[in-house]
Amino acid sequence: GLNKLRVSKKVMPEPQEGELKIRVKACGLNFIDLMVRQGNIDNPPKTPLVPGFECSGIVEALGDSVKGFEIGDRVMAFVNYSAWAEVVCTPAEFVYKIPDDMTFSEAAAFPMNFVTAYMMLFEVANLREGMSVLVHSAGGGVGQAVAQLCSTIPNVTVFGTASSFKHEAIKDSVTHLFDRNADYVQEVKRISTDGVDIVLDCLCGENTGKGLSLLKPLGTYILYGSSNMVTGETKSFFSFAKSWWQVEKVNPIKLYEENKVIAGFSLLNLLFKQNRSGVVKVVMDKLLNLYNNKKIKPVVDSLWALEEVKEAMQRIHDRGNIGKLILDVEKAPTPLMANDSTETSEAGEEEEDHEGDNENKERMPFIQ
């Protein structure tokens, strides 16, 4: 639950061989962070843990044998947990220099969303001119990255689902936009009778079968998340089981007969379990080239202080964001109508849980 989040002090990390020490300026929030908190992932790490998988900041120290970086470099990085901190250490292979005109908040919004979107579209699904793509959560960080990358290829049609209150803000980035609660299968088929070439699914559950049914011959369905399993503030075994029960049972013979491709994509596993940082670096180079040529630009929804992480996570949970939520390490918390809702503790201290801490309180983030 949100009441288990604490801001605490820990011993300063020092870089090991091959690592960089980064003074963090901004951290990215992703839906996977909610799943980590709830334990909705395979083999969740033991608590207490520091969440977060990406950040931006300034190189403060170099471990032995690190080449290509200097103290003072502005960088963005993938981190295998522990990104939500003032200082992080991570291997140099996961670190990239930031373009001069990119802000720290944009840099923290860049790696996870754009690498995920690029690799799914171009490495897995082989997006080409004239194709069509269906993406869920079109207003989120990955959804907006997908829309921007699709616009770099001629005549790509993007079908998107999103909460209706987001439609006005994102309507120009998506060709056809549907309410996330509507029957999008019928809507897509009404516009494109034979379906779409690529389905990008971060929802899972019943959307797996729907996505497969919409694929054209030689089309590709990619599962890259399972946000439908996060239904409340804490893990619900009922919703978890229901979501898996709704997943279409995939029959390889049927795939063969219908000429369809089903795939999965996990950037974090690719980086930290399967040692493919070299592949990701090639993709990052291409993405930074697109950024420098003004073809893509991260969309930052809002900036939050570290102490405001509960409210930030709630905003993601409620699907309230358009683009990326960022933890700004240097930002002071916005005063609450009542007392602050996130306790600060020294390492090792345990506070009591204060039930109803978040009731009747409101805190507005700094909207960029």
Side-chain angles (χ1 to χ4, degrees):
L2 291 167
N3 61 354
K4 298 298 183 186
L5 292 162
R6 301 278 187 270
V7 175
S8 61
K9 293 182 181 176
K10 296 186 72 174
V11 176
M12 176 78 75
E14 294 302 333
Q16 305 301 305
E17 183 171 356
E19 290 186 341
L20 295 171
K21 179 179 177 181
I22 300 169
R23 176 65 60 172
V24 177
K25 297 290 186 180
C27 320
L29 271 79
N30 297 285
F31 208 93
I32 185 74
D33 295 311
L34 275 69
M35 300 184 72
V36 166
R37 194 194 80 230
Q38 293 190 3
N40 271 327
I41 57 169
D42 278 342
N43 304 313
K46 289 190 174 71
T47 55
L49 67 93
V50 179
F53 297 101
E54 63 183 334
C55 65
S56 63
I58 297 170
V59 176
E60 198 167 81
L62 307 174
D64 292 341
S65 75
V66 172
K67 293 185 174 65
F69 292 95
E70 296 178 5
I71 292 172
D73 281 348
R74 299 168 74 249
V75 295
M76 52 188 160
F78 292 108
V79 189
N80 194 9
Y81 293 99
S82 300
W84 295 355
E86 293 175 315
V87 175
V88 302
C89 292
T90 193
E93 65 194 281
F94 303 133
V95 183
Y96 314 91
K97 291 180 182 175
I98 301 174
D100 291 342
D101 61 344
M102 186 184 280
T103 66
F104 284 117
S105 58
E106 287 175 334
F110 195 81
M112 282 276 283
N113 292 163
F114 275 97
V115 171
T116 296
Y118 188 98
M119 294 194 77
M120 289 194 300
L121 289 171
F122 297 107
E123 306 277 327
V124 181
N126 195 18
L127 177 66
R128 299 184 302 285
E129 182 174 349
M131 281 187 165
S132 53
V133 179
L134 168 65
V135 60
H136 295 295
S137 301
V142 174
Q144 285 294 285
V146 165
Q148 290 186 29
L149 288 168
C150 286
S151 71
T152 67
I153 305 297
N155 304 321
V156 171
T157 303
V158 181
F159 297 90
T161 68
S163 302
S164 54
F165 72 89
K166 298 184 182 182
H167 286 199
E168 185 60 30
I170 66 173
K171 67 180 192 301
D172 293 337
S173 65
V174 178
T175 321
H176 303 288
L177 199 51
F178 313 120
D179 187 278
R180 67 187 300 264
N181 298 313
D183 183 0
Y184 62 85
V185 173
Q186 293 308 314
E187 292 289 330
V188 171
K189 285 185 173 175
R190 184 176 56 79
I191 297 165
S192 175
T193 51
D194 54 349
V196 297
D197 296 293
I198 300 168
V199 174
L200 304 178
D201 181 11
C202 60
L203 303 177
C204 200
E206 63 182 350
N207 294 281
T208 302
K210 290 179 178 179
L212 280 169
S213 74
L214 279 172
L215 278 186
K216 294 179 182 179
L218 302 182
T220 304
Y221 162 95
I222 306 174
L223 180 72
Y224 71 100
S226 49
S227 63
N228 273 346
M229 293 183 186
V230 179
T231 55
E233 190 184 304
T234 56
K235 182 175 181 176
S236 162
F237 285 100
F238 174 76
S239 66
F240 198 84
K242 180 186 173 195
S243 207
W244 274 119
W245 185 252
Q246 291 173 328
V247 172
E248 181 90 349
K249 303 302 180 280
V250 177
N251 182 340
I253 301 297
K254 195 175 176 190
L255 291 176
Y256 152 75
E257 290 173 345
E258 296 182 356
N259 277 304
K260 292 181 178 180
V261 178
I262 185 166
F265 184 79
S266 165
L267 177 56
L268 294 176
N269 284 350
L270 197 70
L271 281 168
F272 301 126
K273 291 184 179 177
Q274 296 155 352
N275 304 314
R276 293 296 189 272
S277 60
V279 175
V280 173
K281 174 151 192 344
V282 171
V283 170
M284 277 293 285
D285 289 342
K286 293 176 180 175
L287 287 166
L288 288 171
N289 189 45
L290 287 170
Y291 175 85
N292 289 329
N293 288 319
K294 308 277 191 289
K295 297 287 180 65
I296 59 174
K297 185 178 176 66
V299 178
V300 175
D301 172 79
S302 47
L303 306 179
W304 303 76
L306 289 178
E307 292 84 358
E308 297 170 330
V309 67
K310 291 181 185 180
E311 291 84 358
M313 274 197 160
Q314 188 66 52
R315 184 169 171 84
I316 293 183
H317 182 277
D318 295 342
R319 300 345 195 243
N321 56 303
I322 296 172
K324 187 83 158 209
L325 276 77
I326 298 294
L327 291 178
D328 183 340
V329 175
E330 296 178 346
K331 182 180 181 293
T334 307
L336 276 171
M337 291 180 181
N339 327 328
D340 195 348
S341 67
T342 303
E343 302 84 358
T344 301
S345 72
E346 299 294 326
E349 283 186 18
E350 282 293 327
E351 292 97 343
E352 296 174 19
D353 297 336
H354 302 295
E355 291 302 325
D357 250 3
N358 289 320
E359 288 177 16
N360 303 320
K361 295 183 180 179
E362 193 175 329
R363 174 189 267 145
M364 287 304 294
F366 173 67
I367 306 287
Q368 195 161 321

